[in-house]
Amino acid sequence: MSQNFAKKKLKFPSNTEFPYITDDGVYIFGDVNKKGLDVFKNSVYDYVKAKNNYRMIIKNNYTVDLNYKVKYKTWFATK
């Protein structure tokens, strides 16, 4: 889900390369699934290989703070 939000910030989102969730450099921190919670919060530290303004492929680190609202069954990015 974090990759979808990260792509929205890129100039050329169609030519991106993201790592797998188990690769080095990918970290996910968040709430455990506790009964009765209305919102689950997660932070994802990841990287993407994408084209910059000069159309050169570079690796960029990014962080996305995500909230999952149970009532609406929807993810929201807060950062």
Side-chain angles (χ1 to χ4, degrees), residues 9-76:
K9 301 284 185 179
L10 299 173
K11 296 224 180 226
F12 305 102
S14 61
N15 295 322
T16 57
E17 182 182 323
F18 288 96
Y20 289 104
I21 195 170
T22 56
D23 287 352
D24 287 338
V26 179
Y27 305 98
I28 301 171
F29 303 94
D31 291 335
V32 227
N33 190 354
K34 296 179 183 174
K35 197 172 189 176
L37 283 180
D38 184 45
V39 176
F40 297 97
K41 297 179 180 181
N42 294 288
S43 292
V44 178
Y45 302 93
D46 200 353
Y47 63 89
V48 60
K49 292 181 182 176
K51 289 185 180 180
N52 64 8
N53 288 339
Y54 303 105
R55 299 193 184 265
M56 295 174 55
I57 296 176
I58 59 170
K59 179 180 170 182
N60 287 302
N61 295 322
Y62 71 91
T63 302
V64 177
D65 290 336
L66 298 168
N67 289 340
Y68 179 75
K69 301 228 177 178
V70 176
K71 181 178 178 181
Y72 302 109
K73 298 180 183 177
T74 305
W75 288 97
F76 297 91

